[in-house]
Amino acid sequence: MSQVGAGSAAHALLPVPSDPNRVGHDWLDTLSEVPLFEGLSKRHLGRIAKLARIRRFASGSVIVRTGDPGRSFYVLLDGSAKVMRPGRRSLRLGAGAFFGEMALIDDSPRSADVVAEGDALALTIDRAGFAKLLRAEPGLAQALLRTLAARLRAAEAAV
Ligand code: CMP
């Protein structure tokens, strides 16, 4: 299995907020460590937090399923997940990596299963919030495109 994004050692997961729909200011330091959000000010991170929920996924749960419509975008905050594509090698995504963007960008079905490897914690943003974020944060859109280009190169090199 190859690795995409930073790995994370086995440790207790970050705690889920009591109301997962309220991602408060205490999360901003965690969000500032996500490569996708690099360079964003606390004010901008606060805007992202307003659009986001924090969700915990039990080990082995299928976070997104191949063929399903895309409803949310995910950023792994803790733990790791496996991207499982039919007939392809699986890939590991570590803390800080994102997934679920493809179905939202091109309005097509999910291209792969993404499965929690051990318990995992993710920030999720719904379709409307994701579109809003891409419009409002060109730096973030650029960072997302850079990662997509790197993933495309890696996928081509693996053929
Ligand atoms: P989406 O198609 O919405 O749902 C499955 C997700 O798996 C996909 O978005 C990407 O985020 C991720 N994914 C699919 N293929 C790859 C790949 N080759 N490398 C990294 N992530 C991938």
Side-chain angles (χ1 to χ4, degrees):
M1 191 186 306
S2 53
Q3 173 100 9
V4 179
S8 71
H11 61 283
L13 284 183
L14 292 166
V16 180
S18 48
D19 177 355
N21 292 315
R22 287 188 65 87
V23 182
H25 276 250
D26 47 331
W27 283 88
L28 297 192
D29 284 342
T30 303
L31 299 192
S32 71
E33 286 168 20
V34 170
L36 183 63
F37 303 148
E38 199 181 317
L40 294 183
S41 67
K42 284 272 153 89
R43 189 164 60 86
H44 287 229
L45 291 174
R47 279 199 214 144
I48 294 172
K50 278 210 178 86
L51 296 170
R53 297 180 61 194
I54 304 284
R55 290 185 60 190
R56 186 185 180 117
F57 295 94
S59 180
S61 53
V62 181
I63 306 173
V64 309
R65 192 179 296 277
T66 309
D68 278 358
R71 300 194 200 289
S72 297
F73 170 70
Y74 300 82
V75 179
L76 265 176
L77 296 179
D78 209 354
S80 60
K82 253 187 321 193
V83 178
M84 302 170 74
R85 301 158 300 165
R88 306 292 298 271
R89 242 165 21 126
S90 57
L91 303 165
R92 177 177 292 124
L93 300 177
F98 64 79
F99 60 92
E101 76 295 343
M102 288 173 57
L104 299 185
I105 290 170
D106 66 0
D107 210 8
S108 294
R110 296 293 194 195
S111 60
D113 286 353
V114 183
V115 180
E117 259 198 323
D119 290 349
L121 195 76
L123 172 146
T124 75
I125 299 179
D126 68 17
R127 172 183 283 277
F130 182 66
K132 196 166 162 183
L133 206 57
L134 291 186
R135 279 196 302 273
E137 302 288 354
L140 185 148
Q142 246 170 27
L144 192 126
L145 286 173
R146 257 197 309 277
T147 300
L148 292 189
R151 287 179 180 176
L152 179 59
R153 285 181 197 279
E156 289 198 331
V159 171

